[in-house]
Amino acid sequence: RIYERIVTVDPKDARSIHYLGMVHYQSVALADALLWVNRSIVLVPESPIFLSNRGSIALARGDTQLAIIDYRCAIDLKPDFVGIVISF
């Protein structure tokens, strides 16, 4: 609920928007997770963490192509980010 409040107060807080998406992902509400993480990526398109997590959501939804694209983009942005390699 805290992220929902933050997003209500500051709808451009990309980190809180992203965390809200990840809360939905952990709850297996994948459509909502994708919606919120996409919103965070619109605000910060160069975030390897946001892209990597969208890749994980896409993979969970069965969208392998989007997952591969997102993981590759995240790796291109930050090749030494271990979390991306583990996900991929």
Side-chain angles (χ1 to χ4, degrees):
R1 299 245 182 245
I2 187 75
Y3 298 121
E4 291 170 348
R5 289 184 198 158
I6 293 170
V7 170
T8 300
V9 171
D10 184 0
K12 293 193 184 234
D13 184 335
R15 185 175 297 180
S16 293
I17 291 169
H18 178 257
Y19 289 151
L20 183 56
M22 296 313 294
V23 167
H24 286 289
Y25 173 64
Q26 291 172 349
S27 301
V28 195
L30 300 177
D32 289 332
L34 187 60
L35 173 84
W36 287 105
V37 171
N38 278 341
R39 288 182 182 182
S40 70
I41 291 170
V42 167
L43 295 169
V44 186
E46 69 282 356
S47 171
I49 294 170
F50 294 1
L51 290 165
S52 176
N53 285 335
R54 185 173 68 181
S56 296
I57 295 166
L59 196 58
R61 290 175 49 106
D63 189 345
T64 307
Q65 291 301 322
L66 177 59
I68 290 170
I69 290 167
D70 282 340
Y71 289 145
R72 285 186 176 154
C73 287
I75 289 168
D76 287 346
L77 288 167
K78 189 163 177 58
D80 61 339
F81 182 48
V82 176
I84 297 167
V85 176
I86 291 171
S87 295
F88 193 57

